[in-house]
Structure formats: C-alpha cells, structure tokens
Amino acid sequence: MEEAVAGRKGFGGWLRSRKGQKTLICVGFVAIPLILLLSFTYIPFVEMVRFSFFKMKYTTPVDKRLFVGWRNYLDVFRRKDCFSALKLSLYYCGGALFQLVLALYLATILSFKAKGNNLFKGFMFFPFLINGIAVGFIFKFFYTRGFVFDTVLSWCGFDMDNLPFWLKDQRINNWSLVATSVWRYFGQNMVLFIGAIMSVDSELYEAAELDGANRFQQFVHIILPSIKTIVTLNIILSITGSLSAFEPPYVITSGGNGTGTYFVIMNEIAHVSQKVGLASAMAVVLLLIIFLCTILQKLFFKFVFRDAESEDESYKAKRARLRAEKARARAEKKGVA
Amino acid sequence: MVKHKANKRKKTYTPGQIIWQIVRYFSLIFFSFVAVIPVVSCVITAFKTEEEYQTTNVMTLPKSFVNFDNFVKAFNMANMGKAFLNSVIVMIFVLIASVIIGTQLAYVLNRFQFPGNKLIRNLFLFASLLPAVAMQVTVYNIMQALGFVNHLYGYIIMMCGTDVISIYIFIQFMENISISLDESAIIDGASYWTIYWKIILPLLKPAIVTSCILKGVGVYNEYYAANLYLMNRNLKTIAVSLYTFVGPLGSRYNLICAGVIISLLPALIVFILCQKQIYSGIAAGAVKG
C-alpha cells in the first residue's frame, strides 16, 4: 500500500514512505561527517600528492607554481637532513618495544588482585593525560644540569660531575627524548593490556591456581595466548608510531643537536622555510611507508594468526572460548527479557 | 581474589611467594616513582619564591606550600583566564558536535544496508592511518582558503572533522544494541528519527560518556593545530598559552612550573572523578584494531 500512496502523491508521497524516509535519514546523517572527512582529510591528501610535484610556497599564486616532476622526491632521499632523520625512528622504535614489554609486565602484575593496585595504576597512567607542551617543560626542567634527574641520580650514589648533559650530548640526547615518550605512554599501554587480561575468564586463573601453576606459568599459558593479538597489534602500531615520532623533539629540543626526527624536519620545511612541495613529498613518502607497514600487518594477521588459532587451539583456550560464548548467550537472553 | 584465598587457607607463604611479593611491590613502587617524580618536582618548584629557587636544590621542599604567588603571576602572564575560556568553548562545541555527528553516522552505518556503506566505513578507517602532523601541511592551505585561520569556529570545525576514534566507539556499541528494539518501534509506527532520538541515543549513553572523556582530554591537550591556526593572543587555548613561557622567562622555572601545574589541574580533577570511564575508554579504543 505504501507503494501505491507513493505513486499517487509523487515526490512528496515518496518522502513520506518508509523507503523515502530511509533515504532521507541516510543522506541527512551521513552528509555532514562525510563532508568534514572529505574536506579535512581526503582533499588535503589529494592536494598533498599534487603539491609534491611543484616548487611552491603557501603564498604562491596558482599560476606561478613551478612544476618540477619527481625532483622533490629525489630531494627527500638526497638531502642529508631528511633521510638521516628517518634513522632516528630506530631510537623511538627501540623505546616503543621497551615500553610494550614494561607495560605487559606491569599489567600482568596488576592483574593479580591486591591492595593498592588502583593507586599504582593511577600514578602510572596519569602522565598520559598531560598535554604535550607541559610535558616539554617538565622534561626541560627535569633534564637541566644539576636539576631533578641529576639530583635523583646523586641520591643513588652517582657522581654529578660524571653525568652527561642529557639534552645536549649527542650520544645520549635521543635516548633522553625517547624516555619522555615512554614515560608518557607506558601507563596507557598498561591500562590497555590490563583491559585485555581482565577479559579472560577469571575461572581459568582459579583453575590454574588449583592445579598448582605458578605466576610465571599462568602468564605463559593463560595470559599470553589470550592477549597475543592485541600485543602484536601494538608492536606493529609502535613501528608506525615511531616513524611519525614528533612531540618530544618538537617541544623539548626544537629538533636541535641532532634530535630532529622526520616530522620535525618536515614541519620546519613546511611552516618555516615554506618549501611546501618538498614537505608534501616528505609526507607522501612517509605515508607510503606507513601503508606498507599496515598491509604487512594485515597479511601477518591473516596468515600467522588464523592458522595458529584454528589448528593450535589449546585445551585451555578452547575452554575459555566456549565459556565466553555461553556467557554471551546468557547475557543476550537477559537483554531480551 | 587469589591472595584472599591463600590467606584463608593458611597464613604461611612459601619462599617463592615471598620473593614474588617483594619483586611485585618493588616494581610497582619503582615505576610509580618514575611516573610521579617529574610532576612532583614541578609542584615543589612552583611553590618556591624567587630567592629560594635561586639558592636551594630543586628537590629541597619549599618553606611554605601556601605561597601561591607564582601561580597568580603565571596565570596573568600567560593570559590563562582567557585561555581557559577558549579551551572550554572549543571543548563544549567539539564534544556536542562530535557526539551528534558520531552517533548519527554510527546509527546509519550500523542499521541500514545501502550501496557505499562499506566504502564510507573504509574511508574513515583509512583516515585513521594518516598522521595528523603530516596532513597539516596541506590542511593549512585549505584552512586558509576557507578563511578559518585565526577564528575559533574554524578550529572547532576542523577538530570535529578529524574525529575517527569516537565514531568507532559508537559503531562498536551499536552492534550490542538489539535490532529487535528498532523493529518493534517501527511496528508501533515510529519514524527513523524517533528511533534514533528516543531509543538509540539514550542507549548509547555509556559510549557517549566514554568518547566525551577521551575526546575531551584530546581536545584539551591538543596544541599542534591550535598553535598553527590560533595565533592571535586572545584565541590561544590552554595548551598553547603555556608556550608563551618559552621566550621571556628563559629558565625561571618556578613560574613555568606553576603554569604547567595550572594547565594540568583540570585533567587531574577529571581523572580523579572519572577513572573508571577513562580506563574503559582506553580499552574500547584499543579493540578497534
């Protein structure tokens, strides 16, 4: 009958029909987010690819822009500052891996219930909520000669005169910056892992406890298998994250003394020397690397994990899965009732 | 719970358990100390008078913890009153807009099958891969073309446009809202708008709280884009206003630390009040991969 009504009243009728309403609501609800997404993500993205073939400034009028072909891309690899900056991401990668291990360790410790857990968790998580500029000031202060870090080390018996300049000495300053990033994010990673560990059925731990498994065995046989997906994901994310490391050098050293990471250099080229074409080329190169990592990640998950999980599913994991399914079914029943 | 049981059985511990407990508490205390000490040193310094700051070691406690002179000075110097106001305005508008946009988009993507549904999902997913700093090279150009530079509304609109995580939280949450609710409402003659407004939106409340907290913290702490697009002194947000300390103050860290502490106070208060939601938000954001 709706169809008939629509036929009689033309467009107005169609709008009032179910189908018309559906279209209306789809268009109405999707339009704004899509326009925003296009104008602040995809149009800039296309522009970026286009700009990367030109020599231009932000202020250059469209007809004065000089087409230079692949020269910007060649420059990215030829210029010493651009390419050597990529090497710095190895520091951040190292830091990120350390951070993951540390977060996993602390998350495991905290997943066994005990007094004071929440307080410790809060202390370790809070740095994540501090804004980047404040973190910058805190650590400029922290690392200044004779200030906080040196004082703490001298409490531990180090001789203050033998300590390096944490932010100036090129042998150590990148590690100092990496440490600030670890400081800021390890608590967040930890909370994430705690969430994953908590989603494991707690009866599994109790069963293991009764069977006489110690903490280490519990970790290896229960915790690790159940959270390996999220751990792997975070390892891969930390690789792309360290390629785009930006904040610590930007706010603490402004990229001086050989601490300029790829993005710090790119930011300077774009907004200080206004070589927009070159900066765009740098961005595109990095995006390509990130895509490559993401595709590898997808493939990795597809081939490694699927096989491992279907064939190798241990008895315990299976039990956990079945129980989780049952619980979900129960919860659904409750939801319906 | 595990420990509780052990207690009930007997109060004796094996040597292994004792070592384990020692290691456990040692690591927790050590890393909590590492996490806290940079902030604590800032608090200590912020309460010191100029003379104390010059003459005592940074870790020596100040004479009085009620000397708020530095805080007042820092607050006025960085124009932080105005900056707080700007941050609050930006936050309110961005949060309201992203909740409306996000829930609507999630509703449509989750409940209706239409050509392009998958494509839109993938467009958003792909967008989350692009690092924000890299994108600003050309977003800057577009902001200029639209006349959005140096206007609070321009920054607000841009912040709404680059929001992917909260959309994911909403979509995930939508999947757990039974579709039979929609169906029975349709039988009762409700329009799709009514379903969204009267059924879906109220049920999404936990997800809205979670995403508002995460997004709120993100917006409050965002400084890179704010630094680029809000150059006018009267438009600075709180994170950017801290930057005014770089030039003139050099190394007068007692003032700088006071400014830092002021800027992180709101985050601390929100954290203490909403710990649970923040933790669950972090966990929810992670599952998206």
Side-chain angles (χ1 to χ4, degrees):
Chain A
M1 208 178 87
E2 270 173 9
E3 293 289 307
V5 172
R8 215 169 336 128
K9 293 195 180 164
F11 186 64
W14 177 79
L15 267 188
R16 251 167 275 139
S17 73
R18 272 281 162 211
K19 217 175 158 198
Q21 277 205 359
K22 203 166 160 181
T23 316
L24 199 66
I25 205 118
C26 284
V27 173
F29 278 9
V30 169
I32 295 176
L34 211 55
I35 289 171
L36 285 173
L37 184 73
L38 290 180
S39 45
F40 292 110
T41 304
Y42 285 98
I43 295 175
F45 181 65
V46 173
E47 289 263 276
M48 182 181 285
V49 176
R50 206 162 54 85
F51 283 1
S52 66
F53 294 103
F54 286 90
K55 183 186 165 128
M56 56 175 283
K57 291 185 173 189
Y58 283 117
T59 46
T60 319
V62 181
D63 50 324
K64 290 270 173 60
R65 291 170 183 168
L66 191 66
F67 183 81
V68 294
W70 294 97
R71 200 160 76 207
N72 284 327
Y73 286 94
L74 291 177
D75 277 351
V76 172
F77 294 97
R78 268 195 303 226
R79 278 177 66 129
K80 237 186 174 172
D81 56 347
C82 297
F83 206 62
S84 68
L86 265 187
K87 281 185 214 145
L88 288 187
S89 22
L90 290 178
Y91 287 98
Y92 290 86
C93 211
L97 291 181
F98 171 73
Q99 173 185 320
L100 284 178
V101 173
L102 177 64
L104 196 55
Y105 169 64
L106 292 169
T108 311
I109 288 184
L110 284 173
S111 67
F112 298 104
K113 285 191 179 138
K115 268 181 202 154
N117 271 359
N118 242 338
L119 196 67
F120 289 124
K121 194 167 144 189
F123 280 146
M124 290 189 272
F125 176 77
F126 183 65
F128 176 66
L129 297 177
I130 301 175
N131 69 70
I133 305 271
V135 171
F137 279 124
I138 290 174
F139 278 97
K140 256 188 205 167
F141 176 63
F142 185 79
Y143 283 131
T144 304
R145 184 68 160 177
F147 279 16
V148 188
F149 194 38
D150 289 356
T151 309
V152 171
L153 285 180
S154 73
W155 289 346
C156 305
F158 286 91
D159 186 4
M160 192 118 45
D161 295 325
N162 292 334
L163 295 174
F165 285 85
W166 300 107
L167 294 176
K168 283 188 194 137
D169 191 333
Q170 298 226 4
R171 280 168 303 174
I172 194 117
N173 59 4
N174 278 307
W175 288 120
S176 307
L177 293 179
V178 169
T180 69
S181 153
V182 173
W183 176 80
R184 198 168 165 202
Y185 293 108
F186 82 92
Q188 186 254 8
N189 265 329
M190 180 188 78
V191 167
L192 205 144
F193 289 144
I194 291 177
I197 293 174
M198 287 301 171
S199 65
V200 179
D201 195 339
S202 66
E203 280 175 38
L204 269 182
Y205 299 118
E206 282 164 31
E209 184 94 349
L210 288 179
D211 291 345
N214 66 26
R215 310 280 174 174
F216 184 70
Q217 285 165 332
Q218 286 184 38
F219 176 75
V220 172
H221 295 292
I222 303 178
I223 295 180
L224 210 52
S226 56
I227 62 170
K228 71 180 172 194
T229 323
I230 196 164
V231 171
T232 322
L233 183 75
N234 272 283
I235 291 173
I236 292 158
L237 281 182
S238 69
I239 294 170
T240 47
S242 38
L243 284 171
S244 40
F246 174 72
E247 282 200 351
Y250 179 69
V251 291
I252 299 175
T253 58
S254 316
N257 280 321
T259 56
T261 56
Y262 193 75
F263 269 4
V264 172
I265 307 275
M266 189 198 74
N267 174 63
E268 206 177 276
I269 288 176
H271 297 290
V272 181
S273 33
Q274 294 250 333
K275 289 179 186 163
V276 180
L278 181 59
S280 300
M282 286 182 79
V284 171
V285 168
L286 197 80
L287 289 181
L288 285 177
I289 299 177
I290 289 179
F291 292 154
L292 202 69
C293 289
T294 314
I295 292 168
L296 286 178
Q297 164 203 335
K298 288 262 146 70
L299 290 178
F300 185 76
F301 271 78
K302 209 169 165 189
F303 290 110
V304 179
F305 273 141
R306 199 192 42 196
D307 291 357
E309 253 153 39
S310 55
E311 284 166 23
D312 234 24
E313 195 177 48
S314 67
Y315 169 67
K316 275 175 190 156
K318 207 173 211 164
R319 239 174 86 193
R321 188 169 55 78
L322 289 177
R323 196 168 288 151
E325 269 168 15
K326 240 187 248 166
R328 209 177 304 134
R330 230 179 295 141
E332 247 163 65
K333 240 187 234 164
K334 245 186 230 164
V336 171
Chain B
M1 198 190 283
V2 173
K3 201 183 159 201
H4 178 72
K5 252 190 188 164
N7 279 345
K8 235 199 281 179
R9 236 182 278 142
K10 249 186 224 170
K11 264 256 151 122
T12 52
Y13 289 103
T14 64
Q17 276 172 321
I18 292 170
I19 291 172
W20 156 249
Q21 288 297 336
I22 290 172
V23 169
R24 195 189 119 90
Y25 277 104
F26 176 77
S27 350
L28 286 179
I29 290 168
F30 177 76
F31 285 108
S32 298
F33 180 77
V34 168
V36 161
I37 201 74
V39 181
V40 167
S41 67
C42 246
V43 175
I44 292 173
T45 306
F47 280 103
K48 284 183 177 171
T49 62
E50 194 64 36
E51 197 206 330
E52 269 183 291
Y53 171 70
Q54 299 284 357
T55 51
T56 58
N57 183 287
V58 279
M59 295 306 281
T60 321
L61 293 181
K63 276 187 212 123
S64 97
F65 270 112
V66 284
N67 167 23
F68 290 103
D69 291 355
N70 290 330
F71 292 91
V72 175
K73 245 189 246 169
F75 191 85
N76 291 331
M77 204 179 258
N79 205 1
M80 279 180 143
K82 182 78 183 145
F84 264 119
L85 188 68
N86 288 334
S87 278
V88 169
I89 293 173
V90 169
M91 247 166 89
I92 289 175
F93 280 100
V94 171
L95 289 187
I96 292 176
S98 65
V99 165
I100 294 174
I101 293 174
T103 50
Q104 290 185 342
L105 187 71
Y107 171 63
V108 169
L109 288 182
N110 184 264
R111 291 301 201 245
F112 300 113
Q113 287 305 319
F114 56 91
N117 186 319
K118 187 101 192 164
L119 176 73
I120 293 174
R121 277 174 198 248
N122 283 335
L123 282 178
F124 276 95
L125 189 70
F126 186 75
S128 69
L129 287 178
L130 307 173
V133 177
M135 294 311 292
Q136 293 307 335
V137 174
T138 41
V139 170
Y140 188 78
N141 215 35
I142 284 177
M143 293 286 282
Q144 265 185 336
L146 291 171
F148 278 2
V149 177
N150 266 331
H151 290 289
L152 227 41
Y153 64 82
Y155 178 65
I156 291 171
I157 293 174
M158 195 213 69
M159 290 300 281
C160 298
T162 48
D163 177 36
V164 182
I165 291 167
S166 62
I167 289 172
Y168 268 91
I169 294 178
F170 291 137
I171 289 186
Q172 242 171 43
F173 212 85
M174 282 289 302
E175 276 161 14
N176 294 327
I177 298 177
S178 168
I179 203 156
S180 58
L181 284 174
D182 298 38
E183 283 161 0
S184 55
I186 287 175
I187 292 169
D188 291 345
S191 69
Y192 289 116
W193 169 261
T194 320
I195 295 172
Y196 161 73
W197 189 247
K198 291 265 171 71
I199 298 174
I200 301 294
L201 205 57
L203 283 175
L204 276 177
K205 210 167 130 199
I208 292 174
V209 172
T210 302
S211 90
C212 273
I213 291 171
L214 282 187
K215 182 97 183 157
V217 171
V219 172
Y220 180 79
N221 286 340
E222 205 285 330
Y223 67 89
Y224 182 72
N227 203 14
L228 276 182
Y229 302 125
L230 302 173
M231 284 164 292
N232 191 320
R233 182 178 147 81
N234 282 320
L235 292 177
K236 285 188 172 21
T237 59
I238 208 76
V240 184
S241 79
L242 268 186
Y243 223 73
T244 26
F245 289 126
V246 173
L249 289 181
S251 55
R252 284 175 67 192
Y253 279 107
N254 52 343
L255 284 183
I256 295 177
C257 284
V260 166
I261 300 301
I262 294 174
S263 84
L264 60 80
L265 225 43
L268 181 64
I269 293 169
V270 171
F271 176 58
I272 291 171
L273 293 180
C274 318
Q275 264 187 63
K276 275 228 170 78
Q277 284 90 340
I278 292 182
Y279 291 148
S280 68
I282 299 284
V287 189
K288 105 181 183 224

